[in-house]
Amino acid sequence: MKRILLKLSGEALAGEKKSGFDEETVRGVALQVKQIVGNTQVGIVIGGGNFWRGRSSENIDRTKADQIGMLATVMNCIYVSEIFRSVGMDTEILTPFVCGSFTSLFSKDRANEYFQQGRIVFFAGGTGHPYFSTDTGVVLRAVETEADVILLAKAVDGVYDDDPRLNPAAKKYDEVSIHEVIAKNLQVVDMTASILARDNRMPMWVFGLGEKDSIVNTVNGRFTGTKVTV
């Protein structure tokens, strides 16, 4: 794989604390990415769930809640980017809206330039619009930058036919088509993101971030999660 887009959930980066950051977890991710960055160009999208899940509140306008969520992803990317730098990697953060001097404004040309320089490129701020999740953001950026595959690092180790945390008998898929994901609403990513992936033939590999060396193993062909094919 020449270029990957790695999606990290904010909750996964919070570790057992469930909110904020667990620095050892983030550092572990950074050390894994450092092992692959020489041969693979890496883009990263991070969710904001460790800081904000505003849709659960009925007292905040949906547009404003989503804007807070976008800023949560910017905070996540600034923090994680600095941990990456602390272990010896060069990073850049791109956003679809101006954040002063904190980030650079996204463009495909700018992202490709950073990739060619061997930098880790963080795509923060989602799509820049309300009503779209970071799921849609990661598929959009993967399509725009012509990534080979999206790697979805989650708390669950793959795609199941039911929630394995609630149903111990849930069946794990080794491989499933995006058409089946949509038809059965398997919720690998949200429906908008699923349709965007289908229409642009963008494969997704789902695996558990908590498994030892999961990112390195996935990139090097020792994959134990679920491949979502197109």
Side-chain angles (χ1 to χ4, degrees):
M1 291 178 284
K2 180 182 178 183
R3 180 177 295 175
I4 64 172
L5 210 55
L6 175 64
K7 167 72 186 300
L8 302 169
S9 76
E11 295 96 324
L13 295 180
E16 295 181 359
K17 295 190 298 183
K18 306 299 181 185
S19 64
F21 300 111
D22 181 76
E23 187 162 325
E24 284 307 306
T25 298
V26 178
R27 182 178 171 82
V29 171
L31 292 172
Q32 286 195 67
V33 172
K34 188 176 182 180
Q35 292 182 56
I36 65 174
V37 71
N39 300 315
T40 303
Q41 296 171 352
V42 181
I44 296 177
V45 171
I46 307 174
N50 54 324
F51 281 121
W52 181 255
R53 285 201 171 277
R55 294 177 192 176
S56 61
S57 172
E58 297 178 357
N59 299 315
I60 300 177
D61 176 79
R62 168 66 185 272
T63 296
K64 299 303 181 185
D66 285 359
Q67 289 170 348
I68 296 170
M70 292 177 214
L71 293 176
T73 72
V74 176
M75 290 193 296
N76 278 347
C77 283
I78 291 173
Y79 177 87
V80 176
S81 169
E82 284 305 299
I83 299 299
F84 275 48
R85 290 186 180 206
S86 76
V87 300
M89 287 179 280
D90 293 323
T91 65
E92 295 289 345
I93 304 172
L94 300 179
T95 50
F97 43 79
V98 175
C99 289
S101 61
F102 297 166
T103 69
S104 298
L105 196 60
F106 169 80
S107 75
K108 178 177 179 176
D109 289 343
R110 181 173 284 132
N112 283 334
E113 180 181 346
Y114 291 148
F115 279 132
Q116 294 300 331
Q117 294 171 357
R119 298 173 184 267
I120 307 298
V121 183
F122 288 84
F123 298 103
T127 67
H129 299 283
Y131 295 91
F132 294 98
S133 70
T134 50
D135 286 346
T136 303
V138 70
V139 177
L140 178 63
R141 295 296 180 241
V143 171
E144 285 182 299
T145 61
E146 301 175 73
D148 296 309
V149 64
I150 295 170
L151 303 185
L152 297 173
K154 297 196 168 194
V156 180
D157 65 348
V159 179
Y160 288 77
D161 63 357
D162 198 5
D163 189 339
R165 292 167 294 190
L166 302 176
N167 179 8
K171 171 193 170 185
K172 179 181 173 182
Y173 295 93
D174 292 326
E175 186 171 296
V176 62
S177 75
I178 189 64
H179 300 281
E180 188 173 354
V181 167
I182 293 170
K184 294 183 177 179
N185 193 24
L186 295 177
Q187 299 182 347
V188 175
V189 289
D190 66 34
M191 191 60 70
T192 302
S194 295
I195 292 171
L196 186 61
R198 180 199 67 189
D199 291 351
N200 291 277
R201 301 187 62 78
M202 178 58 62
M204 296 179 284
W205 293 7
V206 186
F207 61 97
L209 180 62
E211 296 182 5
K212 182 176 173 57
D213 296 327
S214 59
I215 298 171
V216 172
N217 288 340
T218 295
V219 171
N220 291 330
R222 299 184 296 274
F223 183 66
T224 60
T226 302
K227 293 183 178 181
V228 180
T229 63
V230 292

